[in-house]
């Protein structure tokens, strides 16, 4: 007869074997066998997969930009600005980008499959999290790209010079662009320009030159006053800064009208030789268009200023009605430490808070980096596509310009990727902090 002690020993061994035994092939996860369905994936794990998708989309966007850049280089090569080596360099960068995109797509698909094995988290379910967690920033970045594209479209349209006999129609053409171009939509520039332009338009050439002289004198005095205030450690006065901006815009408009009036007078018609007439007309037209594009820059600045104010906000971290991202650092850390019983746990909690706050600050700085990267890309591209006379580039100059364009494009892709990464990583770190604090996110 088995003793009670032996019976207990057998029962204990059977339990230990049961715990360590591997599931039978095809049995599936325990949750699936017991409940008939898998649990939804935690938000943090879905965010990690979405980060892979965001980086994949960023690489694809970089590839599209490089494709456009390659077309620009090929066109510039026909005009003698770039060599075949420059074109091949862009093509090499494009191919490398496509290779990186393939690897990123594989990483994303792997992440989705791993989630699918453990949780009910296919791409459709990930799409819902993407709508809430990622698309607000992605849409915002697209808006800035659209604005730069709209300005480039104006440049491309103006790069085709008008024939000398159509000089009388140039004013109407430019007025139409200023009223209907995509870059002016939603700006006060669009509604105010007709009135401001009419003021300059009715002036005689002599009156126009006199007003420009007075405006330049006023601007010089304001700049001297600002320099004196800064030398004494003071800050510029807001009213004076506003007036400086107004003067700069008005003077640009006045210089545009002055160049347009001179162009409409068609002085090249007095020249005997056809090639001289064509050369002078072309030079005067480029001057008009250069000033006109500078005038349109005011609308672009207004759109950019509005765009800066609409960056999507990171979700807050609130503990007992205290926003840990907005308050003083020490106050935030005290609030976190107070929720832990053990000193080691309090130190770990404060460390995670610092990570969340650092990501929030990095997000604000990366906004500026992204904007600067866009300008660094757009400047050289505008120089290639604009109607301005650029003069001979030369081999050294063309190589430097090619490097600038490629480096700027890489910087833009890197800045966009950093923004997307910080945006997602902040949300993951925030959820982890809430979990350690044993609080539900608001």
């Amino acid at each position: 007869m088995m003793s009670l002690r032996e019976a207990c020993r057998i029962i204990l061994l059977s339990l230990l074997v049961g715990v360590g035994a591997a599931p039978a092939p095809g049995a599936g996860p325990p949750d699936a066998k017991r409940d008939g369905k898998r649990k939804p994936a935690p938000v943090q794990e879905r965010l990690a997969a979405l980060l892979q998708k965001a980086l994949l989309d960023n690489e694809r966007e970089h590839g599209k930009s490089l494709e456009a850049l390659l077309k620009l280089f090929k066109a510039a090569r026909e005009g003698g600005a770039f060599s075949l080596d420059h074109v091949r360099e862009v093509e090499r960068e494009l191919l490398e980008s496509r290779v990186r995109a393939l690897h990123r797509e594989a990483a994303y698909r792997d992440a989705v499959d791993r989630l699918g094995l453990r949780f009910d988290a296919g791409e459709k379910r990930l799409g819902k999290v993407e709508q809430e967690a990622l698309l607000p920033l992605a849409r915002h970045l697209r808006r800035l790209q659209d604005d730069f594209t709209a300005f480039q479209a104006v440049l491309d349209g103006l790069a085709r010079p008008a024939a000398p006999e159509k000089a009388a129609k140039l004013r109407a053409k430019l007025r139409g662009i200023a009223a209907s171009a995509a870059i002016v939509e939603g700006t006060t520039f669009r509604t105010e320009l007709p009135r401001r332009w009419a003021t300059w338009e009715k002036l005689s050439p002599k009156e126009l030159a006199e007003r420009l002289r007075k405006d330049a004198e006023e601007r010089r005095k304001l700049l001297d006053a600002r320099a004196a205030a800064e030398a004494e450690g003071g800050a510029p006065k807001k009213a004076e800064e506003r007036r400086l901006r107004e003067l700069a815009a008005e003077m640009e408009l006045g210089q545009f009208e002055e160049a347009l009036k001179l162009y409409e007078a068609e002085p090249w018609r007095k020249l005997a030789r056809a090639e001289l007439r064509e050369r002078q007309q072309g030079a005067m037209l480029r001057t008009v268009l250069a000033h006109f594009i500078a005038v349109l820059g005011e609308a672009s600045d207004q759109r950019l200023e509005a765009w800066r104010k609409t960056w999507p906000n990171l979700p807050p971290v609130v503990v007992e009605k205290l926003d840990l991202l907005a308050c003083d650092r020490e106050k935030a850390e005290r609030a976190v430490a107070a929720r832990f019983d053990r000193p080691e746990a309090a130190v770990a909690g404060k460390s995670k808070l610092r990570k969340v706050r650092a990501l929030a600050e990095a997000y604000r700085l990366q906004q500026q980096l992204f904007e600067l990267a866009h300008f660094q890309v757009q400047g050289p591209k505008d120089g290639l596509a604009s109607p301005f006379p650029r003069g001979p580039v030369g081999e050294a100059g063309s190589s430097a310009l090619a490097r600038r364009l490629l480096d700027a494009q890489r910087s833009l892709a890197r800045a966009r990727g950093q923004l997307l990464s910080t945006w997602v990583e902040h949300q993951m770190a925030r959820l982890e902090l809430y979990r350690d604090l044993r609080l539900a996110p608001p």
Side-chain angles (χ1 to χ4, degrees):
M1 185 174 177
M2 185 183 297
S3 68
L4 178 61
R5 184 174 181 179
E6 290 175 333
C8 289
R9 180 172 175 271
I10 291 174
I11 292 173
L12 179 60
L13 285 172
S14 65
L15 287 174
L16 290 172
V17 171
V19 170
D31 286 344
K33 186 175 180 179
R34 183 177 64 251
D35 301 330
K37 62 179 181 180
R38 287 167 291 175
K39 296 179 180 179
V43 176
Q44 281 175 278
E45 299 205 32
R46 283 183 280 179
L47 284 172
L50 282 177
L51 178 55
Q52 296 287 346
K53 184 176 185 297
L55 295 176
L56 167 61
D57 291 342
N58 180 53
E59 194 62 59
R60 286 173 172 169
E61 185 70 27
H62 181 46
K64 290 179 182 178
S65 298
L66 289 170
E67 288 173 1
L69 195 61
L70 182 60
K71 291 180 181 178
L72 186 62
F73 269 54
K74 287 180 177 179
R77 184 197 170 206
E78 293 176 2
F82 290 138
S83 68
L84 180 59
D85 287 341
H86 298 137
V87 174
R88 286 172 174 168
E89 180 67 14
V90 180
E91 191 170 9
R92 182 188 64 80
E93 182 73 19
L94 173 59
L95 292 174
E96 290 180 353
S97 174
R98 288 173 177 170
V99 170
R100 289 193 298 269
L102 289 173
H103 289 302
R104 289 203 179 279
E105 182 173 14
Y108 168 60
R109 298 297 175 192
D110 288 346
V112 173
D113 285 348
R114 286 193 295 269
L115 279 177
L117 281 175
R118 300 169 55 206
F119 306 103
D120 184 10
E123 283 196 86
K124 290 184 178 180
R125 288 190 177 273
L126 282 176
K128 183 178 179 181
V129 178
E130 184 178 19
Q131 288 281 344
E132 298 172 353
L134 191 59
L135 286 188
L137 178 60
R139 282 194 295 262
H140 191 73
L141 299 181
R142 173 53 57 185
R143 280 182 55 198
L144 180 63
Q145 180 61 48
D146 289 345
D147 278 356
F148 277 107
T149 301
F151 197 75
Q152 186 65 44
V154 174
L155 281 175
D156 293 343
L158 294 175
R160 296 183 291 273
E165 64 271 13
K166 295 184 178 180
K169 298 181 179 180
L170 182 60
R171 182 181 295 271
K173 176 184 177 180
L174 298 182
R175 200 187 303 276
I177 292 174
S180 61
I183 194 64
V184 305
E185 291 180 4
T187 64
T188 58
F189 172 89
R190 182 179 185 177
T191 55
E192 292 178 357
L193 180 65
R195 172 187 56 79
R196 292 167 50 203
W197 190 355
T199 301
W200 288 98
E201 191 175 3
K202 69 182 181 182
L203 298 178
S204 67
K206 184 177 179 180
E207 291 170 333
L208 196 153
E210 178 61 18
R211 178 175 169 182
L212 282 173
R213 186 192 66 77
K214 290 181 178 179
D215 285 354
E217 178 65 18
E218 182 183 357
R219 183 171 181 272
R220 185 188 63 77
K221 291 179 179 178
L222 287 172
L223 289 173
D224 289 345
R226 182 173 68 180
E230 290 176 347
E232 297 176 359
K237 296 180 180 179
K238 291 184 178 180
E240 292 178 354
E241 291 297 300
R242 183 170 59 251
R243 179 56 181 161
L244 277 171
R245 290 193 297 270
E246 291 173 354
L247 283 170
E250 286 303 310
M251 289 177 66
E252 192 58 67
L253 183 56
Q255 290 165 355
F256 159 64
E257 177 61 31
E258 186 177 47
L260 182 56
K261 275 182 165 62
L262 184 58
Y263 181 80
E264 289 174 328
E266 300 182 333
W268 60 85
R269 290 188 177 275
K270 299 176 182 179
L271 300 175
R273 294 172 56 183
E275 67 176 78
L276 292 178
R277 289 197 299 269
E278 183 179 348
R279 186 183 304 170
Q280 186 179 32
Q281 184 264 344
M284 294 179 68
L285 176 59
R286 287 192 293 269
T287 300
V288 173
L289 297 182
H291 284 298
F292 179 67
I293 290 172
V295 169
L296 284 184
E298 184 182 348
S300 180
D301 290 344
Q302 287 182 8
R303 287 181 67 91
L304 180 60
E305 187 60 33
W307 182 86
R308 284 172 177 156
K309 297 176 182 177
T310 56
W311 277 97
N313 294 321
L314 290 166
V317 180
V318 180
V319 173
E320 296 178 356
K321 298 182 179 181
L322 178 65
D323 188 341
L324 301 185
L325 299 183
C327 70
D328 176 77
R329 178 184 61 82
E330 293 184 359
K331 185 176 182 180
E333 291 184 5
R334 286 196 300 269
V336 166
R339 299 194 63 85
F340 295 96
D341 296 331
R342 295 180 297 110
E344 315 88 73
V347 168
K350 289 192 294 182
S351 177
K352 290 181 179 179
L353 171 65
R354 290 170 190 145
K355 179 179 179 180
V356 173
R357 286 176 64 99
L359 286 167
E361 183 60 28
Y363 174 64
R364 287 188 284 270
L365 294 174
Q366 286 165 356
Q367 293 171 11
Q368 300 173 48
L369 286 171
F370 179 74
E371 181 183 317
L372 289 173
H374 251 298
F375 282 122
Q376 287 178 324
V377 168
Q378 204 64 28
K381 286 174 66 177
D382 289 351
L384 285 174
S386 75
F388 310 158
R390 296 185 301 276
V393 177
E395 184 176 350
S398 63
S399 295
L401 180 57
R403 285 195 300 271
R404 280 180 59 199
L405 277 166
L406 268 179
D407 289 345
Q409 191 61 59
R410 294 187 193 106
S411 295
L412 177 60
R414 184 167 56 250
R416 184 170 51 229
Q418 289 172 344
L419 260 173
L420 292 166
S421 296
T422 298
W423 174 267
V424 175
E425 288 170 5
H426 177 273
Q427 296 182 63
M428 294 168 64
R430 170 181 177 268
L431 291 174
E432 187 176 351
L433 177 60
Y434 269 117
R435 183 199 63 194
D436 289 358
L437 294 172
R438 297 182 180 179
L439 294 173

PDB file of all heavy atoms in Angstrom, residues 121-145:
ATOM      1  N   ALA A 121      -3.675  40.761 -33.804  1.00  0.00           N
ATOM      2  CA  ALA A 121      -3.101  42.060 -34.175  1.00  0.00           C
ATOM      3  C   ALA A 121      -2.632  42.051 -35.622  1.00  0.00           C
ATOM      4  O   ALA A 121      -1.462  42.213 -35.903  1.00  0.00           O
ATOM      5  CB  ALA A 121      -1.941  42.405 -33.254  1.00  0.00           C
ATOM      6  N   GLY A 122      -3.553  41.844 -36.538  1.00  0.00           N
ATOM      7  CA  GLY A 122      -3.197  41.923 -37.947  1.00  0.00           C
ATOM      8  C   GLY A 122      -3.056  43.364 -38.389  1.00  0.00           C
ATOM      9  O   GLY A 122      -3.184  44.308 -37.610  1.00  0.00           O
ATOM     10  N   GLU A 123      -2.797  43.554 -39.703  1.00  0.00           N
ATOM     11  CA  GLU A 123      -2.583  44.908 -40.220  1.00  0.00           C
ATOM     12  C   GLU A 123      -3.829  45.775 -40.072  1.00  0.00           C
ATOM     13  O   GLU A 123      -3.730  46.984 -39.904  1.00  0.00           O
ATOM     14  CB  GLU A 123      -2.148  44.838 -41.685  1.00  0.00           C
ATOM     15  CG  GLU A 123      -0.694  44.449 -41.863  1.00  0.00           C
ATOM     16  CD  GLU A 123      -0.191  44.756 -43.252  1.00  0.00           C
ATOM     17  OE1 GLU A 123       0.241  45.895 -43.507  1.00  0.00           O
ATOM     18  OE2 GLU A 123      -0.243  43.846 -44.089  1.00  0.00           O
ATOM     19  N   LYS A 124      -5.009  45.160 -40.155  1.00  0.00           N
ATOM     20  CA  LYS A 124      -6.236  45.957 -40.013  1.00  0.00           C
ATOM     21  C   LYS A 124      -6.337  46.558 -38.620  1.00  0.00           C
ATOM     22  O   LYS A 124      -6.707  47.720 -38.452  1.00  0.00           O
ATOM     23  CB  LYS A 124      -7.459  45.094 -40.317  1.00  0.00           C
ATOM     24  CG  LYS A 124      -7.589  44.709 -41.791  1.00  0.00           C
ATOM     25  CD  LYS A 124      -8.870  43.948 -42.055  1.00  0.00           C
ATOM     26  CE  LYS A 124      -9.000  43.607 -43.537  1.00  0.00           C
ATOM     27  NZ  LYS A 124     -10.245  42.849 -43.822  1.00  0.00           N
ATOM     28  N   ARG A 125      -6.012  45.752 -37.624  1.00  0.00           N
ATOM     29  CA  ARG A 125      -6.057  46.275 -36.256  1.00  0.00           C
ATOM     30  C   ARG A 125      -4.950  47.304 -36.031  1.00  0.00           C
ATOM     31  O   ARG A 125      -5.129  48.267 -35.297  1.00  0.00           O
ATOM     32  CB  ARG A 125      -5.944  45.139 -35.234  1.00  0.00           C
ATOM     33  CG  ARG A 125      -7.204  44.280 -35.143  1.00  0.00           C
ATOM     34  CD  ARG A 125      -7.140  43.335 -33.953  1.00  0.00           C
ATOM     35  NE  ARG A 125      -8.357  42.573 -33.819  1.00  0.00           N
ATOM     36  CZ  ARG A 125      -9.434  42.988 -33.138  1.00  0.00           C
ATOM     37  NH1 ARG A 125      -9.413  44.164 -32.546  1.00  0.00           N
ATOM     38  NH2 ARG A 125     -10.500  42.232 -33.045  1.00  0.00           N
ATOM     39  N   LEU A 126      -3.804  47.094 -36.650  1.00  0.00           N
ATOM     40  CA  LEU A 126      -2.732  48.080 -36.543  1.00  0.00           C
ATOM     41  C   LEU A 126      -3.146  49.399 -37.177  1.00  0.00           C
ATOM     42  O   LEU A 126      -2.735  50.473 -36.737  1.00  0.00           O
ATOM     43  CB  LEU A 126      -1.463  47.555 -37.227  1.00  0.00           C
ATOM     44  CG  LEU A 126      -0.640  46.539 -36.452  1.00  0.00           C
ATOM     45  CD1 LEU A 126       0.518  46.061 -37.306  1.00  0.00           C
ATOM     46  CD2 LEU A 126      -0.119  47.117 -35.157  1.00  0.00           C
ATOM     47  N   GLY A 127      -3.974  49.314 -38.213  1.00  0.00           N
ATOM     48  CA  GLY A 127      -4.420  50.534 -38.884  1.00  0.00           C
ATOM     49  C   GLY A 127      -5.178  51.458 -37.962  1.00  0.00           C
ATOM     50  O   GLY A 127      -5.073  52.685 -38.067  1.00  0.00           O
ATOM     51  N   LYS A 128      -5.942  50.909 -37.028  1.00  0.00           N
ATOM     52  CA  LYS A 128      -6.691  51.746 -36.087  1.00  0.00           C
ATOM     53  C   LYS A 128      -5.746  52.495 -35.167  1.00  0.00           C
ATOM     54  O   LYS A 128      -5.926  53.690 -34.903  1.00  0.00           O
ATOM     55  CB  LYS A 128      -7.646  50.880 -35.266  1.00  0.00           C
ATOM     56  CG  LYS A 128      -8.518  51.677 -34.305  1.00  0.00           C
ATOM     57  CD  LYS A 128      -9.473  50.777 -33.547  1.00  0.00           C
ATOM     58  CE  LYS A 128     -10.330  51.605 -32.565  1.00  0.00           C
ATOM     59  NZ  LYS A 128     -11.254  50.739 -31.794  1.00  0.00           N
ATOM     60  N   VAL A 129      -4.721  51.812 -34.669  1.00  0.00           N
ATOM     61  CA  VAL A 129      -3.743  52.467 -33.812  1.00  0.00           C
ATOM     62  C   VAL A 129      -2.978  53.526 -34.614  1.00  0.00           C
ATOM     63  O   VAL A 129      -2.668  54.607 -34.113  1.00  0.00           O
ATOM     64  CB  VAL A 129      -2.763  51.431 -33.210  1.00  0.00           C
ATOM     65  CG1 VAL A 129      -1.717  52.112 -32.348  1.00  0.00           C
ATOM     66  CG2 VAL A 129      -3.525  50.404 -32.391  1.00  0.00           C
ATOM     67  N   GLU A 130      -2.698  53.214 -35.877  1.00  0.00           N
ATOM     68  CA  GLU A 130      -1.986  54.164 -36.721  1.00  0.00           C
ATOM     69  C   GLU A 130      -2.792  55.452 -36.893  1.00  0.00           C
ATOM     70  O   GLU A 130      -2.244  56.550 -36.864  1.00  0.00           O
ATOM     71  CB  GLU A 130      -1.703  53.538 -38.085  1.00  0.00           C
ATOM     72  CG  GLU A 130      -0.886  54.427 -39.000  1.00  0.00           C
ATOM     73  CD  GLU A 130      -0.573  53.759 -40.319  1.00  0.00           C
ATOM     74  OE1 GLU A 130      -1.269  52.776 -40.664  1.00  0.00           O
ATOM     75  OE2 GLU A 130       0.351  54.213 -41.000  1.00  0.00           O
ATOM     76  N   GLN A 131      -4.102  55.315 -37.082  1.00  0.00           N
ATOM     77  CA  GLN A 131      -4.949  56.494 -37.222  1.00  0.00           C
ATOM     78  C   GLN A 131      -4.844  57.405 -36.009  1.00  0.00           C
ATOM     79  O   GLN A 131      -4.795  58.627 -36.132  1.00  0.00           O
ATOM     80  CB  GLN A 131      -6.421  56.058 -37.392  1.00  0.00           C
ATOM     81  CG  GLN A 131      -6.748  55.443 -38.733  1.00  0.00           C
ATOM     82  CD  GLN A 131      -6.940  56.488 -39.814  1.00  0.00           C
ATOM     83  OE1 GLN A 131      -7.120  57.663 -39.522  1.00  0.00           O
ATOM     84  NE2 GLN A 131      -6.890  56.065 -41.064  1.00  0.00           N
ATOM     85  N   GLU A 132      -4.779  56.804 -34.831  1.00  0.00           N
ATOM     86  CA  GLU A 132      -4.769  57.589 -33.600  1.00  0.00           C
ATOM     87  C   GLU A 132      -3.364  58.055 -33.215  1.00  0.00           C
ATOM     88  O   GLU A 132      -3.197  59.172 -32.713  1.00  0.00           O
ATOM     89  CB  GLU A 132      -5.361  56.756 -32.453  1.00  0.00           C
ATOM     90  CG  GLU A 132      -6.814  56.341 -32.671  1.00  0.00           C
ATOM     91  CD  GLU A 132      -7.292  55.357 -31.616  1.00  0.00           C
ATOM     92  OE1 GLU A 132      -6.446  54.911 -30.811  1.00  0.00           O
ATOM     93  OE2 GLU A 132      -8.493  55.023 -31.610  1.00  0.00           O
ATOM     94  N   ALA A 133      -2.373  57.211 -33.440  1.00  0.00           N
ATOM     95  CA  ALA A 133      -1.044  57.473 -32.874  1.00  0.00           C
ATOM     96  C   ALA A 133      -0.053  58.072 -33.858  1.00  0.00           C
ATOM     97  O   ALA A 133       0.876  58.757 -33.443  1.00  0.00           O
ATOM     98  CB  ALA A 133      -0.456  56.161 -32.311  1.00  0.00           C
ATOM     99  N   LEU A 134      -0.218  57.844 -35.149  1.00  0.00           N
ATOM    100  CA  LEU A 134       0.823  58.232 -36.095  1.00  0.00           C
ATOM    101  C   LEU A 134       0.365  59.238 -37.139  1.00  0.00           C
ATOM    102  O   LEU A 134       1.102  60.157 -37.500  1.00  0.00           O
ATOM    103  CB  LEU A 134       1.365  56.973 -36.789  1.00  0.00           C
ATOM    104  CG  LEU A 134       2.632  57.132 -37.622  1.00  0.00           C
ATOM    105  CD1 LEU A 134       3.776  57.648 -36.752  1.00  0.00           C
ATOM    106  CD2 LEU A 134       3.013  55.801 -38.257  1.00  0.00           C
ATOM    107  N   LEU A 135      -0.861  59.082 -37.638  1.00  0.00           N
ATOM    108  CA  LEU A 135      -1.300  59.907 -38.757  1.00  0.00           C
ATOM    109  C   LEU A 135      -1.367  61.404 -38.457  1.00  0.00           C
ATOM    110  O   LEU A 135      -1.155  62.203 -39.381  1.00  0.00           O
ATOM    111  CB  LEU A 135      -2.652  59.410 -39.276  1.00  0.00           C
ATOM    112  CG  LEU A 135      -2.587  58.103 -40.068  1.00  0.00           C
ATOM    113  CD1 LEU A 135      -3.937  57.794 -40.698  1.00  0.00           C
ATOM    114  CD2 LEU A 135      -1.525  58.148 -41.153  1.00  0.00           C
ATOM    115  N   PRO A 136      -1.680  61.838 -37.228  1.00  0.00           N
ATOM    116  CA  PRO A 136      -1.676  63.294 -36.996  1.00  0.00           C
ATOM    117  C   PRO A 136      -0.355  63.953 -37.378  1.00  0.00           C
ATOM    118  O   PRO A 136      -0.339  65.008 -38.009  1.00  0.00           O
ATOM    119  CB  PRO A 136      -1.949  63.400 -35.489  1.00  0.00           C
ATOM    120  CG  PRO A 136      -2.741  62.185 -35.173  1.00  0.00           C
ATOM    121  CD  PRO A 136      -2.160  61.112 -36.037  1.00  0.00           C
ATOM    122  N   LEU A 137       0.762  63.317 -37.009  1.00  0.00           N
ATOM    123  CA  LEU A 137       2.067  63.885 -37.371  1.00  0.00           C
ATOM    124  C   LEU A 137       2.348  63.703 -38.855  1.00  0.00           C
ATOM    125  O   LEU A 137       2.850  64.622 -39.519  1.00  0.00           O
ATOM    126  CB  LEU A 137       3.168  63.221 -36.539  1.00  0.00           C
ATOM    127  CG  LEU A 137       4.592  63.683 -36.855  1.00  0.00           C
ATOM    128  CD1 LEU A 137       4.749  65.183 -36.615  1.00  0.00           C
ATOM    129  CD2 LEU A 137       5.603  62.905 -36.033  1.00  0.00           C
ATOM    130  N   ALA A 138       2.040  62.535 -39.404  1.00  0.00           N
ATOM    131  CA  ALA A 138       2.307  62.278 -40.829  1.00  0.00           C
ATOM    132  C   ALA A 138       1.551  63.272 -41.709  1.00  0.00           C
ATOM    133  O   ALA A 138       2.101  63.781 -42.696  1.00  0.00           O
ATOM    134  CB  ALA A 138       1.913  60.842 -41.177  1.00  0.00           C
ATOM    135  N   ARG A 139       0.310  63.566 -41.368  1.00  0.00           N
ATOM    136  CA  ARG A 139      -0.472  64.535 -42.156  1.00  0.00           C
ATOM    137  C   ARG A 139       0.145  65.921 -42.069  1.00  0.00           C
ATOM    138  O   ARG A 139       0.168  66.668 -43.042  1.00  0.00           O
ATOM    139  CB  ARG A 139      -1.920  64.558 -41.669  1.00  0.00           C
ATOM    140  CG  ARG A 139      -2.766  63.404 -42.165  1.00  0.00           C
ATOM    141  CD  ARG A 139      -4.227  63.661 -41.928  1.00  0.00           C
ATOM    142  NE  ARG A 139      -4.544  63.727 -40.511  1.00  0.00           N
ATOM    143  CZ  ARG A 139      -5.034  62.711 -39.810  1.00  0.00           C
ATOM    144  NH1 ARG A 139      -5.268  61.544 -40.397  1.00  0.00           N
ATOM    145  NH2 ARG A 139      -5.301  62.845 -38.520  1.00  0.00           N
ATOM    146  N   HIS A 140       0.641  66.265 -40.893  1.00  0.00           N
ATOM    147  CA  HIS A 140       1.235  67.586 -40.710  1.00  0.00           C
ATOM    148  C   HIS A 140       2.500  67.736 -41.553  1.00  0.00           C
ATOM    149  O   HIS A 140       2.715  68.775 -42.187  1.00  0.00           O
ATOM    150  CB  HIS A 140       1.557  67.800 -39.231  1.00  0.00           C
ATOM    151  CG  HIS A 140       1.932  69.204 -38.895  1.00  0.00           C
ATOM    152  ND1 HIS A 140       1.025  70.231 -38.849  1.00  0.00           N
ATOM    153  CD2 HIS A 140       3.133  69.765 -38.606  1.00  0.00           C
ATOM    154  CE1 HIS A 140       1.634  71.355 -38.536  1.00  0.00           C
ATOM    155  NE2 HIS A 140       2.918  71.102 -38.391  1.00  0.00           N
ATOM    156  N   LEU A 141       3.334  66.716 -41.573  1.00  0.00           N
ATOM    157  CA  LEU A 141       4.549  66.760 -42.378  1.00  0.00           C
ATOM    158  C   LEU A 141       4.208  66.862 -43.858  1.00  0.00           C
ATOM    159  O   LEU A 141       4.897  67.541 -44.625  1.00  0.00           O
ATOM    160  CB  LEU A 141       5.398  65.514 -42.117  1.00  0.00           C
ATOM    161  CG  LEU A 141       5.878  65.310 -40.673  1.00  0.00           C
ATOM    162  CD1 LEU A 141       6.724  64.051 -40.568  1.00  0.00           C
ATOM    163  CD2 LEU A 141       6.658  66.519 -40.183  1.00  0.00           C
ATOM    164  N   ARG A 142       3.135  66.213 -44.270  1.00  0.00           N
ATOM    165  CA  ARG A 142       2.713  66.275 -45.667  1.00  0.00           C
ATOM    166  C   ARG A 142       2.284  67.683 -46.052  1.00  0.00           C
ATOM    167  O   ARG A 142       2.515  68.131 -47.182  1.00  0.00           O
ATOM    168  CB  ARG A 142       1.585  65.266 -45.890  1.00  0.00           C
ATOM    169  CG  ARG A 142       0.913  65.336 -47.265  1.00  0.00           C
ATOM    170  CD  ARG A 142       1.880  65.251 -48.405  1.00  0.00           C
ATOM    171  NE  ARG A 142       2.684  64.044 -48.372  1.00  0.00           N
ATOM    172  CZ  ARG A 142       3.669  63.819 -49.220  1.00  0.00           C
ATOM    173  NH1 ARG A 142       3.995  64.709 -50.142  1.00  0.00           N
ATOM    174  NH2 ARG A 142       4.359  62.701 -49.139  1.00  0.00           N
ATOM    175  N   ARG A 143       1.666  68.395 -45.116  1.00  0.00           N
ATOM    176  CA  ARG A 143       1.218  69.763 -45.414  1.00  0.00           C
ATOM    177  C   ARG A 143       2.399  70.665 -45.773  1.00  0.00           C
ATOM    178  O   ARG A 143       2.321  71.459 -46.716  1.00  0.00           O
ATOM    179  CB  ARG A 143       0.474  70.351 -44.211  1.00  0.00           C
ATOM    180  CG  ARG A 143      -0.971  69.920 -44.063  1.00  0.00           C
ATOM    181  CD  ARG A 143      -1.614  70.609 -42.875  1.00  0.00           C
ATOM    182  NE  ARG A 143      -1.493  72.054 -42.967  1.00  0.00           N
ATOM    183  CZ  ARG A 143      -1.643  72.880 -41.930  1.00  0.00           C
ATOM    184  NH1 ARG A 143      -1.885  72.394 -40.738  1.00  0.00           N
ATOM    185  NH2 ARG A 143      -1.532  74.181 -42.100  1.00  0.00           N
ATOM    186  N   LEU A 144       3.492  70.553 -45.034  1.00  0.00           N
ATOM    187  CA  LEU A 144       4.650  71.385 -45.347  1.00  0.00           C
ATOM    188  C   LEU A 144       5.228  71.012 -46.707  1.00  0.00           C
ATOM    189  O   LEU A 144       5.584  71.884 -47.503  1.00  0.00           O
ATOM    190  CB  LEU A 144       5.724  71.233 -44.273  1.00  0.00           C
ATOM    191  CG  LEU A 144       6.981  72.075 -44.516  1.00  0.00           C
ATOM    192  CD1 LEU A 144       6.657  73.556 -44.505  1.00  0.00           C
ATOM    193  CD2 LEU A 144       8.058  71.775 -43.483  1.00  0.00           C
ATOM    194  N   GLN A 145       5.301  69.721 -46.985  1.00  0.00           N
ATOM    195  CA  GLN A 145       5.797  69.281 -48.292  1.00  0.00           C
ATOM    196  C   GLN A 145       4.923  69.841 -49.410  1.00  0.00           C
ATOM    197  O   GLN A 145       5.433  70.264 -50.458  1.00  0.00           O
ATOM    198  CB  GLN A 145       5.818  67.758 -48.344  1.00  0.00           C
ATOM    199  CG  GLN A 145       6.307  67.192 -49.666  1.00  0.00           C
ATOM    200  CD  GLN A 145       7.724  67.600 -49.982  1.00  0.00           C
ATOM    201  OE1 GLN A 145       8.601  67.486 -49.136  1.00  0.00           O
ATOM    202  NE2 GLN A 145       7.961  68.083 -51.196  1.00  0.00           N
TER     203      GLN A 145
END
